[in-house]
Amino acid sequence: MKRWPIAVMVAGVAFACSGLPASGNGIVALVVETPDSLNLTVGDSLKLRAHAENLQGDSVAADILWSTPDTALITVDAFGTITDRLDTSATARVQASTGTLVSNIVSITLRDTTTTAGLRARP
């Protein structure tokens, strides 16, 4: 599991900081943790994790919501589990949010199994 507490997108790990003062619950950052591989084929799943942090960098309780604009390609559930639903080569995007704080986009590479299977079958 990768965890990068920085304010830029690095190797599929997202971190978001709010330019606003801490809210009533003190959340100023949203950290998304990804597995080492961000590749999926149809029917495969992977899990992302996220947590909110306060100004001191401590984890704080928060309701994390997951979303994707690429619902034709993948599903993402309330727990950050992403499932490839279409047998195609593409890139899908996922974001975490809590309140008005939104993470950077995490890109997931989708692999076409017919192309992959064809490559393996060649002598």
Side-chain angles (χ1 to χ4, degrees):
M1 197 57 85
K2 296 180 185 177
R3 181 179 180 275
W4 300 90
I6 55 177
V8 295
M9 182 75 164
V10 176
V13 179
F15 178 86
C17 288
S18 171
L20 304 173
S23 61
N25 57 6
I27 297 172
V28 297
L30 184 58
V31 178
V32 175
E33 301 174 24
T34 64
D36 291 333
S37 174
L38 293 171
N39 299 310
L40 288 175
T41 56
V42 68
D44 286 347
S45 296
L46 64 83
K47 172 114 173 132
L48 301 180
R49 300 184 197 292
H51 68 271
E53 293 183 348
N54 64 16
L55 192 58
Q56 291 75 37
D58 299 322
S59 291
V60 294
D63 291 326
I64 307 293
L65 302 175
W66 294 94
S67 63
T68 179
D70 303 314
T71 56
L73 300 172
I74 61 171
T75 59
V76 59
D77 69 15
F79 305 103
T81 301
I82 300 162
T83 304
D84 185 350
R85 55 184 293 180
L86 190 63
D87 194 12
T88 188
S89 294
T91 300
R93 301 158 294 165
V94 177
Q95 281 187 302
S97 64
T98 184
T100 59
L101 189 61
V102 179
S103 74
N104 289 338
I105 292 172
V106 176
S107 295
I108 312 294
T109 302
L110 308 180
R111 305 276 187 215
D112 180 351
T113 57
T114 52
T115 303
T116 305
L119 291 176
R120 281 191 226 136
R122 291 184 183 163

